[in-house]
Amino acid sequence: VILAIIVIAVVALLSQQNLLPPLFPGGNGPGQLTYNVLVQTDKPGYTTREFVRVSITNMNEEIMFLDSCNPFVTEMRTPTGWVEKERQRCPFEGLPFRVNKDQTLRRLAPAVGETGTFRINALYYIGCTENLPLIDAGCQRQLSSASEPFVAS
């Protein structure tokens, strides 16, 4: 658990400093390739009431898993860094989304509800036992990958 927290903190710090791998060309909008997982939004700007189309593409050799309730979080840029907006509350933990190599998971993110600069951060897991909730799946690694920032006005 401590190692997972350290990894997430390092990834967050590196993404804030733009020290992660370069932009990946193509896809349906801007995106950033991190640990072979591409997180994209469909456009660089939205209204505060507009849903955000999110695509998460697995380019790893391994299967990855995403939480079935919160496969990603929306983060807002503040003067001190990226701050996670409130997550959806889940009444129970279901089976995670399985994303095979070269497969893309597409979902809608709720409208951000305020003006500012935002990004989508996908939390994914590698090396999990299939057909079990993440808490019981014994995943070997928990990683994250963020989209390029987008603006809500």
Side-chain angles (χ1 to χ4, degrees):
V1 173
I2 292 172
L3 180 59
I5 292 169
I6 292 170
V7 167
I8 291 170
V10 168
V11 168
L13 178 63
L14 291 175
S15 66
Q16 288 173 5
Q17 302 300 317
N18 291 323
L19 297 174
L20 292 174
L23 290 178
F24 179 81
N28 60 355
Q32 184 170 339
L33 180 63
T34 308
Y35 296 111
N36 294 325
V37 173
L38 179 63
V39 180
Q40 297 176 291
T41 59
D42 63 324
K43 55 187 182 176
Y46 300 85
T47 67
T48 58
R49 298 186 322 244
E50 193 175 0
F51 284 85
V52 178
R53 286 184 171 85
V54 177
S55 298
I56 304 168
T57 303
N58 180 11
M59 296 169 6
N60 286 299
E61 293 297 321
E62 301 174 80
I63 297 167
M64 73 177 193
F65 296 88
L66 294 110
D67 186 297
S68 60
C69 182
N70 289 299
F72 53 80
V73 296
T74 302
E75 298 175 333
M76 182 176 191
R77 181 181 284 159
T78 69
T80 59
W82 292 100
V83 176
E84 184 178 306
K85 293 187 58 79
E86 187 173 341
R87 289 184 189 209
Q88 173 183 339
R89 296 181 194 268
C90 304
F92 65 92
E93 182 182 8
L95 294 179
F97 294 115
R98 173 191 165 130
V99 184
N100 295 320
K101 179 182 188 281
D102 297 326
Q103 186 179 15
T104 300
L105 177 73
R106 291 181 174 83
R107 292 288 181 270
L108 287 178
V112 294
E114 59 187 307
T115 60
T117 301
F118 301 87
R119 71 180 182 184
I120 301 297
N121 192 6
L123 308 173
Y124 62 97
Y125 303 82
I126 302 289
C128 306
T129 302
E130 295 190 50
N131 301 316
L132 291 174
L134 288 172
I135 196 165
D136 298 322
C139 301
Q140 295 173 2
R141 290 181 283 164
Q142 177 185 8
L143 301 164
S144 67
S145 184
S147 70
E148 284 295 307
F150 60 89
V151 175
S153 55

